[in-house]
Every structure is written in structure tokens, then in C-alpha cells.
Amino acid sequence: MHRRLFPCLIALALGSLSGHAQEPPPWPVLKPAPDSEPLPGTDRLEMTGDISRQLIEANDRFLDERIAVAAREREGRWQPDHASPEAYEKSVAPHRERLAKMLGLHRDPRPDPAEAAFEYYSPDGEPAAVAKDFVVRSVRWRAFGDVSGEGLLIEPVGGEAVIRADVIAIPDADQTPEAIAGLTPSDATAFAWKLAQAGCRVLVPSLIDRAATSHGLTAREWLHRPAFELGRHLLGYELNMILSGAACLRNTQSTQPRPVGVIGWGEGGLLALHAGALDPAFAVTGVSGYFGPREGLWRQPAEHNIFGLLETFGDAEIAALVAPRPLIIESGTYPRAAYRATPDGQLEQLTTERAKQPGKPGIFPVPTPEGVAAETARYRRLTGSQAALTAFSSESALSDDTLAAFAKALGLSDTAAMAKPREFTTIGEATERIASRRERQVTSIDQHNQRVLVNAAAEREVYFKDLKTDNLDAFSVSIEAYREKFRTEVIGDFGVETIEPRPRSRKYQEGPKTVSYEVVLDVLPGVFAYGILTLPKDLDLAGGEKRPVVVCQHGLEGTPQDVIGEAAHQAYSAFATRLAERGFITFAPQNGYKYFDLFRMQQFKAQSIGKTLFSIIIPQHRQITDWLASLPYVADDRIGFYGLSYGGKSAMRIPPLVPRYCLSICSADFNEWVWKNAATDPRSLRYSYANKGEYEIFEWDLGGTFNYAEMAALICPRPFMVERGHFDGVAPDDKVAHEFAKVRFLYQGKLGIGDRCEIEWFPGPHKINGVATYDFLHRHLRWPKP
């Protein structure tokens, strides 16, 4: 199992197994500096303790502040017209389209509603249950692609003549359709059956449950991870099932249309709220066990993570898309569902060490009564005269009062019938039916994800259709629009101006040929950059000469100290110090991917407002390179980037958006990145993140926008190089070669600048090799070899 750089012994073991183990190089002799004098032109650095940890914690506080800003500014993005229901609907329609896009609904079109129909099926051709007035059948229906929705359909024996309304009743993810239909012993409220007794035909879809897979992930997170990378969403998939099911209900009505409502509890309540918001044809929406403030979205399960949601939507805004249609909300009872939970069902303490379980810590939200009241008040402010909300609080899920209000909103008069005792005869073994249905659903969504992965390259070709490669000038102009999309839509930009850097430093270490300084720079309000600047001792600090700089980036769980060789990590080969011994100036920054859960949960904080970890890292690097360029002994047009592992991941994302980087070297990371994140076949899982503990690694819709070849195009026409060990566990050679061939074709085949693009293959593991890459740096940074 590949764990990128941490621990480095993994990489060394890979080398040993390959038969190409190498003796560790002699490490540079670095001694503490005799004094702590600052670098000329900077103030003395007074910070104490673990500065790397303080940087990560500062990033965390900044993200909390930006989430709060998003919450304050969100309502200002809405300008609903309350003049009439029609005017209101027209004014909020663009927000509905935005929500659908966030969920990926536009990527997998549903079948033509005119062709929507249920398929009745069961292993023996018999219904699941029969009663005096009803029959319960197993049904499935086409939802999107080759994926079908499945569940139960409760139909009256009298047919169309006795049906008063159609309802989609959605259980929680850990409930089965049989449970809420009352067919199996359960603590669940049999609300589907109760609504049937009130005169409804009821469709009960089956959701993907939270049961653990063989990989240690919940089934929901297992399916969500690849979908998210490919611009889809598990919630979007389930919503497509629900919306397609509604089309089936409408298409099988008689010539006299009936109202269709949607209602659910827990995960079903979340889906009912979104379905009612997305489809104005739902006459009534009922939400139980899900409604409240959403600023803590990052604490929820991975599959609730919707990129950019909180910039435009909280629950009040989503509910506002239901208006002016009736909305019934019930609070007070919620699923007790958590991954990495304490015995009492709370989220366990986040750790700064590797967790035993690979999935994202997450808990189903349980808002306070005050939180529900505040969100309800926001809904009323947004909807004004178009508000149509009825709120209940109950100690049981979907109480009789809540169901009666829902039924009355549908136009049903005989709500007392819901209290009649259930009398039915079950047919067949429910346990077997449930298990086989679950397996089919998980398999079909997994297979759909893999089909989308196969087609992702074609999606990216369409996305890049406006890129001109006829000549270098045309390319340089047309690539700018894609850099802007990458900045704003993929990485995310806070739009916050950098502040004065106030450089602080202190002498840190000395070697035979080098001297290093710890450096801290202010970047954004509350955010700073930290790193180690290493200078050759023969450098004239007065600026008599100008030398090139190599920014040397650590990998996962790394620090600047690792990169200079202080910690003797063999994978890094002390390359920041070794390059300084060759005459380069080097700078080793601290990037924000250290301390396990602490930084990983920051990715979810950032993604909830349409940003990523790199939304903070890139401004830090802009400040770093601007400061370096200001030094009198730095050649400001010769600052290169060289990163290993997660630092190699950085090499693909930072230089495209930091123009002072004149070249980029990606070491021990370059591969077919979308495949590495989304592939789930047995061979690929050796390399894929789909089942690994790096739960933050998934980036929204890279499948349809930027794989590594496309990111390299954003670096072009600047020099670009890949350093690749044959026995590196990041990916097999064929995946690396496949992706690099596209880059090489752009540089050499299309633009005629092949001398600026190369790859080094060496017989070794996950490490800095420092042979061809050093030559590359000397050549393109125009510094003589020693």
C-alpha cells in the first residue's frame, strides 16, 4: 500500500524489493549556527516552538474565518422577487441550476420522462407483501446511464381509481425500504405504509448504506470518492434515482394528474430537501431529521461534501428553492451515524498521527433547537411572502402530526386512516432480497464511475477545445483562459490581497559550504509562510552577483528540516543543501499538508466554500517568490520549483499560478492522476487512492478538466521535467509514460520546444535521484556545474 512519502521506509523497502537498493548517501554535516543573527534586510525572528505546526494551525483559523464570512455574505447573493409566485420562481431559477451543477446532475442525463416506467421484478415473480387493500412490489427503473434505481412500490389494490396522491418516501441510509414500509421488524417509523393507508401510492427507493466495505470505508464514501474526482456526486446519483422515480410515477398516472410529494428522514430528509428544491414538480416536500446550520459541513461524512456549497447555499437557501410550494420540516430526532466515532456516537478526537481507519471522520449533523430556529428564520427572510413552511419538533421520527400535515398539503382528507394497524402477509425472504439489491446497487454505481473514468480523457479534450497550438504565440494567449479557470474553479481563490511580508529571520545552521536561515513572512491576515533559506558561503550578500534560486518542496508530513537533510530522510537526499553546495540559493518552504487529520479536515473546510488547501499554499508561494526576487543577490527571473511526492503534486499546481517560477520539476508523483484517484479495479487498487487513508486527496472534477498533462500545459512554455524511479509505488511505469507522452507531444510535437521538456527514468524507489534533474536546473537556470 503506497503512502506517498510517509514513512520514508516504504520507499526504501520498494527499492530493496526491486533489487536496486542503494546505500544511503553521506549526509551533509550541518551544525547549529553560532548565533541567531537575522539575514540582512530582515527583522529578527522571535517565534519559538514548532513553527510548522503553528503554520498549519494558522491556516485552520483562517479557514474558519472564511467560512464565517461566506455565511455572512451568502444572503447577499440572493435577490428573490416576492411580487408573485411566478416572479419568485423566475428569480431563484439560476440558483436551482447552480445547485444541480454542484451535484453533477448535468453530467449524467436522466432518461426521457416520456419513457419513464417501472419494471416489476422479484426472484420468484411474487410481490414482496400483500394486504387487504395494498400490494408491495419490488421495482426498478432507469435512473442515469446504466444505473437503475431500486426499491419498493406500495400500490392500492383498486388501482388508479383509489389513488389520491403519489409520494416518494425516502429512508435513512441505514434503513431499508422494507423497514419504513413496515415489512420487517425495525425501530423505524413505517411512514411509507402510513402514507399508503392515507390514499397514496408510495415509491420507497433504496439508498447506499453506511455499512463498512472490505477496504474499511463506508460503502457511501467508497462510491463517493471516485465520483467526486470525476465531477459527480453520490448524492447526485441518488437524487437522479429519486427524480427519475418521480418521472415514473407521473408517467404512470391516469389522464387526471395527481400531486407528487417527497418526504424523508435522516439521509432521506437531506435528499428530500434537495429533490424538492431541484424539481418544482414536487407539490409538497417533507424533511425530517435534517435541517439546520451548515457551516459545520466539514464535520459531516465525506459524501456530504459539495464543492463550493456554502458560498451560495445553506439549508435555508436550499429550502427557499422549494418555496412557494409547501415545506414541512420536523426536527428533534436524527440518525446517530458517525465514522470514527466514540462509544456514545460522537466524532472521535481528531489526531495528528496516522489513523487506523482510512476514511474521513464524519458525523451526521444533529443541530440544536436554536440552530434549527435560526435557519428557519433565515428561510422566512429569504422567501418573504412566498414562505410556505410548517415546522414541528418531535421525539420520534415522522410523527403522526408531521405526516398528517404532509398528507393535508397533498390534498388528502382521510389522515386518520394512517393510524390503522398494519395487516399484511410477506412473501419471500426479505433478508436475501435486501442483500442482493444492495450488492447490485453498489456494483452498478462503481461500474458507472469506472465508465466515466474511461471517458474522462474525451471530456477533457472537449474542455480544452479552445486551446490553440498552431504556434507558441497563439498557445501563450489561449492558455491564459485555462489558467484562470484553474485558479478560480479548480484550486479556488479567496480574493484576499496579500499583506506586507514583514520578513523575519534568524541564522539556523551551518555546513562546510552553506549557511541557512529560518524565515517567516506574513501572507494573508493571520496566515504566514515559513521556510529555510540556504545560501552558499561564497555568495556575496551585498549583491555583487545574482544567483538562481531553487525552491525545494517537501512531501506529505514533511518539513523544511527534512529537505535540507537535518532529519536524514533518504528519500529527500538532502537536495536543498546539495543544490546550495552546487552554488544555487535554495528555499525550503513549509506547505500545509502535515499533521494528518488536522490538515486533511482543512481540505473539507476549504472545499465547502469552493477552495482547496492550495488556495492558501499558492498565496504563500507568491509571497515567498516575491520576497526572494527582492533580495539583491537573487536573479529574479531564475527561480525554479522542485518538489518530491506531495511536493511533486505541488509542482503541478503551484507553478501554473505563480508566474515567478520559471520552471517546475515534479519528482516521485507524476502519473495519470485522475486514474490514481478514481480507479477501483483490483490491479489499480495497489496504487489508487480510492481505498487509502489520504481522504483529503480528491479534487472536484479533475476528470473533466485537468489531469497532469493539462496541468503541465499550464506550466508550458516554461521548462518542465519529471523525475521517475522505476520502483516508485506511486504508479506503474506505463501510467507515467502514458501521461508524460501527452506533455512531450505538446512541447515538442505541437510547439517545437522539446528542449524544455524531459523525463528521467532511473532504477530506484520514491526519492530524489539528483542526476538529470540537477543537470536540468543548471541548464535552464543558467548556472555552471561545479
Side-chain angles (χ1 to χ4, degrees):
M1 181 184 298
H2 175 53
R3 282 291 183 269
R4 298 186 67 82
L5 187 58
F6 184 86
C8 290
L9 291 177
I10 294 289
L12 299 177
L14 286 169
S16 299
L17 290 172
S18 71
H20 291 277
Q22 301 175 11
E23 289 298 319
W27 298 108
V29 179
L30 300 175
K31 297 180 179 180
D35 59 71
S36 59
E37 286 300 303
L39 190 71
T42 69
D43 294 332
R44 186 186 300 276
L45 176 61
E46 303 290 355
M47 293 177 71
T48 60
D50 185 346
I51 301 178
S52 295
R53 174 69 178 261
Q54 293 171 52
L55 181 146
I56 305 300
E57 291 173 343
N59 291 354
D60 199 55
R61 290 190 295 271
F62 178 78
L63 288 169
D64 288 340
E65 292 168 3
R66 300 316 299 177
I67 290 172
V69 169
R72 290 196 299 270
E73 296 180 350
R74 188 184 303 136
E75 287 187 38
R77 296 174 180 266
W78 288 66
Q79 301 295 327
D81 186 343
H82 300 132
S84 68
E86 294 76 17
Y88 180 86
E89 174 62 31
K90 182 178 180 180
S91 68
V92 301
H95 293 299
R96 179 175 290 116
E97 290 301 315
R98 181 171 177 79
L99 181 61
K101 187 174 181 179
M102 286 180 173
L103 290 161
L105 296 184
H106 64 299
R107 307 298 285 275
D108 300 300
R110 296 185 294 277
D112 184 346
E115 300 175 0
F118 292 116
E119 175 190 352
Y120 297 86
Y121 76 95
S122 66
D124 52 10
E126 295 289 340
V130 294
K132 178 181 178 181
D133 299 319
F134 304 98
V135 61
V136 183
R137 299 184 186 276
S138 295
V139 292
R140 58 183 162 224
W141 61 97
R142 284 190 59 215
F144 58 93
D146 291 333
V147 177
S148 294
E150 294 199 39
L152 299 178
L153 185 64
I154 307 175
E155 297 182 289
V157 172
E160 290 287 306
V162 298
I163 302 174
R164 299 291 176 262
D166 287 321
V167 171
I168 299 181
I170 313 172
D172 180 56
D174 283 340
Q175 295 174 334
T176 64
E178 286 76 5
I180 70 165
L183 303 188
T184 56
S186 173
D187 293 334
T189 301
F191 65 97
W193 187 265
K194 290 184 176 184
L195 289 167
Q197 291 184 128
C200 300
R201 177 175 59 159
V202 183
L203 175 64
V204 189
S206 175
L207 304 185
I208 300 299
D209 63 27
R210 304 185 186 98
T213 66
S214 59
H215 308 294
L217 302 166
T218 67
R220 295 184 68 78
E221 184 171 357
W222 163 248
L223 295 173
H224 172 72
R225 287 179 169 194
F228 191 84
E229 188 79 10
L230 297 165
R232 276 78 172 170
H233 208 289
L234 179 62
L235 296 180
Y237 288 161
E238 292 179 323
L239 283 164
N240 265 335
M241 294 176 188
I242 292 162
L243 298 177
S244 297
C248 292
L249 290 172
R250 297 185 189 105
N251 205 37
T252 53
Q253 291 178 354
S254 62
T255 54
Q256 184 64 35
R258 297 186 296 271
V260 179
V262 60
I263 187 170
W265 179 72
E267 201 80 41
L270 180 158
L271 291 166
L273 177 63
H274 287 73
L278 291 164
D279 188 351
F282 281 117
V284 185
T285 300
V287 178
S288 176
Y290 179 89
F291 188 80
R294 267 314 147 252
E295 283 62 54
L297 180 63
W298 61 274
R299 290 174 52 86
Q300 295 184 28
E303 65 272 13
H304 287 190
N305 181 33
I306 301 173
F307 188 73
L309 182 74
L310 298 184
E311 287 190 304
T312 308
F313 299 99
D315 279 3
E317 285 79 11
I318 297 173
L321 296 177
V322 178
R325 293 164 287 134
L327 173 63
I328 316 296
I329 291 178
E330 180 188 76
S331 60
T333 305
Y334 304 88
R336 295 294 178 176
Y339 182 88
R340 287 179 54 183
T342 60
D344 61 352
Q346 299 302 308
L347 199 62
E348 71 178 25
Q349 182 69 33
L350 300 181
T351 178
T352 56
E353 299 178 353
R354 181 173 296 282
K356 295 179 180 178
Q357 296 171 286
K360 176 195 177 292
I363 187 167
F364 194 90
V366 180
T368 63
E370 294 78 12
V372 175
E375 201 69 10
T376 300
R378 289 204 320 109
Y379 162 86
R380 295 190 188 280
R381 286 201 305 271
L382 284 162
T383 55
S385 60
Q386 302 303 315
L389 183 146
T390 305
F392 295 90
S393 180
S394 173
E395 295 182 358
S396 61
L398 290 163
S399 66
D400 289 345
D401 288 343
T402 302
L403 289 175
F406 179 81
K408 287 179 180 178
L410 280 170
L412 305 180
S413 56
D414 188 16
T415 58
M418 291 190 293
K420 293 190 298 186
R422 298 191 301 277
E423 297 178 359
F424 52 82
T425 301
T426 59
I427 300 174
E429 176 54 55
T431 303
E432 181 179 339
R433 179 173 63 246
I434 293 167
S436 61
R437 181 178 62 216
R438 177 189 187 275
E439 183 178 355
R440 283 194 304 273
Q441 288 189 285
V442 170
T443 299
S444 67
I445 292 178
D446 180 35
Q447 290 176 343
H448 178 77
N449 283 338
Q450 298 313 294
R451 284 191 291 272
V452 172
L453 174 58
V454 169
N455 295 326
E459 287 191 31
R460 293 192 298 276
E461 286 183 8
V462 173
Y463 184 77
F464 270 82
K465 62 180 172 40
D466 294 326
L467 181 65
K468 309 300 183 185
T469 57
D470 306 277
N471 57 68
L472 191 54
D473 289 340
F475 171 83
S476 298
V477 171
S478 61
I479 196 64
E480 284 303 320
Y482 290 97
R483 285 200 187 99
E484 182 65 10
K485 289 181 178 181
F486 188 66
R487 181 182 71 84
T488 58
E489 299 175 11
V490 176
I491 297 297
D493 190 322
F494 286 108
V496 178
E497 293 294 326
T498 54
I499 60 179
E500 288 298 314
R502 278 196 323 122
R504 288 90 76 197
S505 70
R506 62 182 169 225
K507 194 175 290 184
Y508 184 60
Q509 289 180 336
E510 288 192 16
K513 298 181 180 180
T514 63
V515 58
S516 64
Y517 293 80
E518 287 186 293
V519 178
V520 169
L521 308 170
D522 291 340
V523 180
L524 302 171
V527 174
F528 65 90
Y530 164 63
I532 296 176
L533 178 72
T534 302
L535 304 175
K537 281 187 172 179
D538 62 357
L539 174 66
D540 179 4
L541 295 184
E545 62 174 335
K546 291 184 180 291
R547 294 199 188 185
V549 180
V550 182
V551 173
C552 301
Q553 191 61 64
H554 64 77
L556 181 64
E557 294 298 323
T559 65
Q561 285 74 12
D562 299 331
V563 173
I564 65 173
E566 177 182 322
H569 278 307
Q570 292 189 34
Y572 290 116
S573 304
F575 74 117
T577 299
R578 293 305 187 205
L579 286 167
E581 291 171 346
R582 287 172 164 258
F584 295 102
I585 298 167
T586 67
F587 189 86
Q590 178 66 59
N591 271 4
Y593 35 76
K594 183 172 172 59
Y595 300 110
F596 296 94
D597 284 340
L598 180 57
F599 94 81
R600 291 199 160 107
M601 294 297 268
Q602 287 177 17
Q603 177 81 317
F604 288 85
K605 289 183 178 183
Q607 288 182 339
S608 74
I609 51 176
K611 311 298 187 292
T612 63
L613 292 174
F614 285 94
S615 303
I616 297 176
I617 294 171
I618 285 170
Q620 289 168 328
H621 278 256
R622 283 180 175 265
Q623 195 79 311
I624 289 166
T625 55
D626 285 348
W627 175 72
L628 288 170
S630 73
L631 298 176
Y633 40 84
V634 166
D636 61 3
D637 61 342
R638 288 181 284 159
I639 303 175
F641 188 97
Y642 186 177
L644 173 82
S645 195
Y646 224 108
K649 174 183 164 85
S650 300
M652 304 307 301
R653 290 159 178 79
I654 297 173
L657 302 179
V658 179
R660 284 200 184 276
Y661 283 129
C662 68
L663 62 79
S664 182
I665 299 175
C666 177
S667 177
D669 182 76
F670 189 90
N671 70 100
E672 216 278 44
W673 184 256
V674 174
W675 163 85
K676 183 171 176 62
N677 283 263
T680 60
D681 61 280
R683 176 181 182 264
S684 298
L685 282 179
R686 174 184 172 188
Y687 307 98
S688 174
Y689 283 123
N691 63 341
K692 305 296 192 302
E694 287 83 350
Y695 57 81
E696 88 296 342
I697 206 81
F698 307 94
E699 298 158 282
W700 172 248
D701 197 20
L702 286 191
T705 56
F706 296 91
N707 204 343
Y708 271 11
E710 289 78 19
M711 291 185 201
L714 302 180
I715 296 168
C716 185
R718 292 168 286 175
F720 173 71
M721 183 174 182
V722 171
E723 185 175 45
R724 163 67 186 178
H726 286 301
F727 304 102
D728 191 333
V730 163
D733 275 354
D734 62 304
K735 292 296 184 182
V736 177
H738 170 84
E739 194 68 10
F740 183 76
K742 301 177 186 179
V743 183
R744 182 68 177 170
F745 179 63
L746 172 66
Y747 272 79
Q748 179 169 321
K750 289 284 191 177
L751 302 177
I753 52 174
D755 60 318
R756 304 184 197 178
C757 178
E758 63 183 88
I759 186 170
E760 179 196 23
W761 304 88
F762 66 93
H766 190 79
K767 68 185 288 287
I768 296 286
N769 193 47
V771 178
T773 52
Y774 287 8
D775 290 343
F776 187 85
L777 290 168
H778 281 289
R779 182 166 68 255
H780 290 289
L781 294 180
R782 303 191 304 279
W783 185 253
K785 294 182 183 180

